[in-house]
Amino acid sequence: MENKKHPSKGVHDQVCLEDERLEQLIRDLSCTRESLDHQEELSRQADAAERARREKLARQARATAQREWIAIVLSIIALAASIAKQFLT
């Protein structure tokens, strides 16, 4: 009867060993989770940097297009002024 109430040393050692394994697995999972969280943060930062780069390029392209249109308009005005000057002289 006494054997049923108290686990044998071998069973106790096995339970302790399993507890240690479980604790190690929990630590490993915690480290893995932290690593995944860190990778997610790095990914978010990379995405934000890429968005900022694309927005900057889009602003530069719009500014270039505006300058080109201004140059075209000024060229047309200069041509119109030149033609008007020829008719006036």
Side-chain angles (χ1 to χ4, degrees):
M1 279 286 194
E2 203 168 302
N3 283 347
K4 290 184 178 182
K5 290 183 182 177
H6 301 290
S8 68
K9 180 161 176 42
V11 172
H12 178 72
D13 291 345
Q14 184 66 28
V15 169
C16 289
L17 184 61
E18 289 299 319
D19 281 348
E20 289 174 14
R21 286 181 186 160
L22 287 173
E23 288 174 6
Q24 183 61 45
L25 281 172
I26 290 169
R27 285 191 297 272
D28 291 348
L29 287 172
S30 178
C31 290
T32 300
R33 179 66 191 163
E34 289 172 6
S35 176
L36 288 172
D37 289 346
H38 181 66
Q39 288 176 357
E40 281 182 14
E41 179 60 28
L42 290 176
S43 179
R44 280 192 293 272
Q45 290 174 359
D47 289 346
E50 179 61 20
R51 275 193 308 279
R53 185 187 71 79
R54 278 189 256 128
E55 289 170 2
K56 180 181 176 184
L57 289 173
R59 281 192 306 274
Q60 289 173 337
R62 283 191 300 271
T64 298
Q66 288 173 345
R67 284 191 298 274
E68 288 172 355
W69 274 109
I70 290 170
I72 290 169
V73 169
L74 290 176
S75 295
I76 292 170
I77 291 171
L79 179 62
S82 175
I83 292 170
K85 184 177 178 183
Q86 287 180 356
F87 281 115
L88 293 176
T89 56

